[in-house]
Amino acid sequence: MDRKIIQQVDAVAVAMEKKYGYNSRMLDLVPQHLELKFKKAQGQFDQAITSNSQQDMIKYGQALIRGYQALDKIAEKAVHSVWKVRHTSGVLMTVYQGSIPRKPSDGSILMSIEELVKFVPASIVKIKEKFPKSKVTKNNEVPF
């Protein structure tokens, strides 16, 4: 059996993981109906491999590659407006700018960048104005 299509799909999957990170981050950036369609294609490809059907592997493998390419174009537009950040409490947060993204499937909590900015003390803002390259390392109040 020719495993070339499996290698091609794997190469695209690895490229997407390098670009967006592991754990389906790319799928967090696309509409849910497209995520479901993509997951269905993944299932069909996996089934084709399990059943050892070369014709189906090629058919569904090529469809999966096209799916990756389509989702990549959509995710590229959203990647700079959604971030995954682990809070010091250990809770995973999905921080977004602009329109509210769909609820993350990873259990993280949603918070807008506008909400977060409200919690930055004015003293920190003053320090960053005077020392733009400074880094906030502790959550202690500045004594002035």
Side-chain angles (χ1 to χ4, degrees), residues 97-130:
Q97 180 179 8
S99 61
I100 297 174
R102 64 184 171 85
K103 179 144 176 63
S105 59
D106 59 10
S108 63
I109 62 167
L110 279 172
M111 187 168 282
S112 73
I113 194 73
E114 290 80 10
E115 289 175 291
L116 286 176
V117 167
K118 292 175 186 175
F119 292 98
V120 176
S123 57
I124 298 295
V125 174
K126 288 178 184 177
I127 289 170
K128 294 294 273 184
E129 284 178 332
K130 289 186 180 194

Side-chain angles (χ1 to χ4, degrees), residues 42-61:
Q42 282 180 316
Q44 291 170 322
F45 183 61
D46 291 345
Q47 179 58 40
I49 293 170
T50 301
S51 66
N52 206 19
S53 169
Q54 183 70 26
Q55 185 177 356
D56 284 348
M57 278 191 272
I58 292 169
K59 175 183 174 183
Y60 294 121

Side-chain angles (χ1 to χ4, degrees), residues 5-58:
I5 189 66
I6 296 172
Q7 293 169 341
Q8 290 171 343
V9 171
D10 283 347
V12 174
V14 167
M16 293 300 107
E17 285 178 1
K18 284 181 181 176
K19 185 171 184 175
Y20 296 102
Y22 189 67
N23 290 337
S24 305
R25 167 131 163 72
M26 178 179 72
L27 295 177
D28 288 341
L29 301 171
V30 301
Q32 191 168 21
H33 73 279
L34 294 178
E35 175 189 14
L36 295 174
K37 191 174 179 180
F38 181 78
K39 285 183 175 181
K40 180 180 177 183
Q42 282 180 316
Q44 291 170 322
F45 183 61
D46 291 345
Q47 179 58 40
I49 293 170
T50 301
S51 66
N52 206 19
S53 169
Q54 183 70 26
Q55 185 177 356
D56 284 348
M57 278 191 272
I58 292 169

